Amino acid sequence: MKCLLQIASVLALGLGLAASARQPPQHAFVAPGPGVSESGLYAGERLIKINETAQPQRMGVDDIFALRRAGVRFVDITDAQELYQGQGGAAVAAGALPATLAFGDEVRKAIGQLSTKLYGDVLKPFTAFHNRYYDSQYGKQSSEWLQKQITQLVDAHAFVSGNVTVRAFGHKFPQASIIVRIEGRDSAHAKDTVVISAHQDSVNMWLPWYGRASGADDDGSGTVTILESLRALLAQGFAPSRSVEFHWYAGEEGGLLGSQDVALDYKRGGRSVTANLHFDMTGFWKKETTELIGLVSDRTDPEVRALVKSLAETYTRLKTKEFACGYGCSDHASWNQAGYRSAMAFESDQLDANTYIHSPSDTVETLDFDHMLEFSKLAVAFAYEVGYAK
């Protein structure tokens, strides 16, 4: 088996390098040469969980990468063991979800602000980074570039930007997560927070530090999906009762590293999070199948799922379908493990339909921007209906 894996590795590496040679020249802001960091993240063994019931195992970096190459999803709990001990996963008090959809006019006006233009404008340079691997200088540079774009977008809406902050959330590795906070206007509810999220990193499954990983769908699509929804909300003068945050996580591909750090920080701080809606991959679907919004059924909250289903079927042109995502699937699981309500919207009900991901072939040309627009509508609706609810 080990021999077969090694043979497969060599074949895939050859294909990856050949495909990489066809990629456009790198943008000037990407430093030449390999993007290996000096963070020391993998200097020792890490504590890895591969399912809900198995005991975590200590693994070195080679074993961790072997899991990914074998398609095994995992969570690296080394720096977030608190979430998995004692009361880890216990429910945290939070504001109530809306019983009915009450802000249809406002939602539809904001949806009218949406377009697909930002998707291409941001994704073209974002995917030009050689990769966005979290434990590399590429990951650091891409995060800094993304934060600059977000800050410029917020500053362009000066009439509300005084109530909006943009900050980096640092980790033990070079790539930072990014958090935008729109402060709630109702003093009685402003401490309740609504979180809309995606992850910003990408990885080449064969050569994480060196390999080309354009990451257009995984998760460049989610990144720009929520960025466009933020732009539309600010253009509409969005002023919610609750505080609404947009998160772009670092290190998802390393075992939910960034989102675990953020969720643990919020839990330790006693933060009230009404709900999280996560977007990981929104741009690809097989045209011979039914176009829809996939809703992850496991490690999510049933009430939030029901709300997202209602939002999708009210404010988008797509129906929803639930499916199981599996352990370590994406960052919604970090919030669920911390005891917060979460849900995840996905591009289809077939988790492995996009075979381009984690390779040089995950390019902008494979995405359907009109499909992605429905997910931006969903994010806008979630922000209004949960953010304004009391």
Side-chain angles (χ1 to χ4, degrees):
M1 184 62 154
K2 183 176 181 181
C3 181
L4 289 173
L5 182 59
Q6 289 173 336
I7 292 170
S9 299
V10 171
L11 290 172
L13 174 57
L15 291 171
L17 291 176
S20 181
R22 298 193 296 270
Q23 299 299 318
Q26 297 305 299
H27 203 289
F29 47 64
V30 179
V36 179
S37 82
E38 298 179 358
S39 72
L41 185 70
Y42 295 110
E45 292 182 325
R46 306 287 295 178
L47 200 57
I48 305 298
K49 277 181 71 69
I50 61 172
N51 61 51
E52 204 80 63
T53 58
Q55 289 297 311
Q57 301 294 317
R58 294 201 172 276
M59 294 185 180
V61 64
D62 290 340
D63 291 333
I64 295 170
F65 291 160
L67 286 178
R68 180 163 295 287
R69 293 178 189 122
V72 177
R73 295 181 178 86
F74 63 90
V75 180
D76 183 338
I77 71 169
T78 310
D79 301 312
Q81 295 179 52
E82 185 179 330
L83 293 179
Y84 298 84
Q85 297 171 348
Q87 295 301 310
V92 176
L97 295 172
T100 59
L101 304 185
F103 296 93
D105 290 344
E106 293 85 348
V107 172
R108 290 184 177 89
K109 286 178 182 177
I111 283 175
Q113 300 276 355
L114 293 171
S115 81
T116 61
K117 182 179 184 302
L118 178 145
Y119 300 156
D121 290 347
V122 173
L123 278 175
K124 185 175 180 179
F126 197 49
T127 59
F129 286 97
H130 187 67
N131 60 51
R132 302 189 300 276
Y133 182 62
Y134 57 94
D135 195 30
S136 76
Q137 289 305 303
Y138 295 133
K140 180 176 186 291
Q141 292 169 359
S142 62
S143 180
E144 291 172 344
W145 180 87
L146 179 60
Q147 184 174 346
K148 182 178 179 182
Q149 310 315 304
I150 295 168
T151 300
Q152 289 175 345
L153 184 150
V154 169
D155 289 346
H157 298 84
F159 59 93
V160 292
S161 62
N163 208 38
V164 184
T165 56
V166 182
R167 68 182 177 100
F169 186 106
H171 305 286
K172 289 185 177 180
F173 44 89
Q175 188 177 60
S177 295
I178 304 167
I179 296 176
V180 172
R181 181 175 175 86
I182 304 172
E183 198 68 34
R185 300 296 182 102
D186 187 329
S187 59
H189 297 89
K191 289 185 178 180
D192 292 336
T193 303
V194 180
V195 176
I196 297 169
S197 59
H199 76 85
Q200 56 176 292
D201 57 317
S202 70
V203 68
N204 181 301
M205 67 185 296
W206 300 104
L207 285 173
W209 281 293
Y210 305 99
R212 175 78 170 115
S214 38
D217 194 25
D218 191 9
D219 184 28
S221 62
T223 291
V224 298
T225 289
I226 69 169
L227 183 59
E228 171 61 10
S229 65
L230 173 63
R231 186 200 64 78
L233 289 169
L234 294 180
Q236 193 62 29
F238 183 65
S241 302
R242 291 168 168 158
S243 296
V244 175
E245 293 185 351
F246 286 77
H247 294 190
W248 289 266
Y249 299 123
E252 187 270 352
E253 302 288 4
L256 315 188
L257 295 171
S259 59
Q260 284 187 130
D261 283 351
V262 174
L264 179 56
D265 181 75
Y266 281 38
K267 187 179 181 75
R268 284 174 174 169
R271 297 277 297 273
S272 172
V273 176
T274 303
N276 160 246
L277 178 56
H278 187 60
F279 294 84
D280 190 348
M281 299 171 55
T282 63
F284 182 93
W285 63 287
K286 290 184 175 180
K287 299 304 186 286
E288 65 271 20
T289 64
T290 300
E291 186 182 10
L292 51 78
I293 292 174
L295 292 182
V296 172
S297 59
D298 49 336
R299 295 165 190 86
T300 56
D301 179 79
E303 290 184 85
V304 179
R305 287 202 312 273
L307 173 62
V308 173
K309 175 184 171 78
S310 178
L311 293 172
E313 296 183 358
T314 301
Y315 296 118
T316 83
R317 60 179 175 80
L318 301 180
K319 300 295 184 181
T320 63
K321 185 176 180 180
E322 293 193 3
F323 71 103
C325 194
Y327 191 75
C329 171
S330 195
D331 296 303
H332 65 283
S334 296
W335 291 101
N336 178 264
Q337 187 64 36
Y340 294 108
R341 295 180 296 211
S342 66
M344 176 175 146
F346 189 69
E347 58 198 8
S348 72
D349 62 335
Q350 300 178 31
L351 186 62
D352 299 317
N354 189 347
T355 58
Y356 301 126
I357 65 170
H358 302 159
S359 81
S361 300
D362 185 8
T363 61
V364 175
E365 291 73 24
T366 67
L367 303 182
D368 182 341
F369 284 2
D370 290 332
H371 185 63
M372 290 163 58
L373 195 65
E374 301 308 307
F375 291 82
S376 290
K377 292 177 184 178
L378 179 58
V380 165
F382 190 79
Y384 262 104
E385 294 288 1
V386 186
Y388 275 87
K390 297 182 180 180

